[in-house]
Amino acid sequence: DHISTTLGLSRDYVRESNSIALGLMDNGIWIQTDIILIVVSILSVFTLLRVLKNSSSRIILILPVVCALVRLGVTFWNLTILL
């Protein structure tokens, strides 16, 4: 997502439409915020699996997969804008 966004923003005709992402980019904390979100999501799933010793709690493992699929979707969206 970062690579496709950076490539897109290097073009004159492409602008960032997400005001939150734009604010993070302007303040130079876009990558740091993204890394923190990834680490927090992984740690929260890990912690919940440790606390809930239930075998049915494994459904929580879907959270990182869903987050990754959303990011992959954004990457493909960015690539369609570039092509």
Side-chain angles (χ1 to χ4, degrees), residues 6-54:
T6 304
L7 276 172
L9 293 176
S10 68
R11 316 269 190 208
D12 291 334
Y13 58 90
V14 177
R15 295 181 186 225
E16 179 62 54
S17 62
N18 183 341
S19 61
I20 296 171
L22 189 59
L24 292 172
M25 287 179 211
D26 288 343
N27 291 316
I29 57 173
W30 182 40
I31 294 175
Q32 296 90 330
T33 303
D34 198 33
I35 290 171
I36 289 170
L37 288 173
I38 292 169
V39 169
V40 166
S41 69
I42 291 171
L43 285 177
S44 62
V45 169
F46 176 78
T47 303
L48 283 171
L49 286 175
R50 292 288 181 185
V51 170
L52 306 172
K53 304 235 184 237
N54 209 339

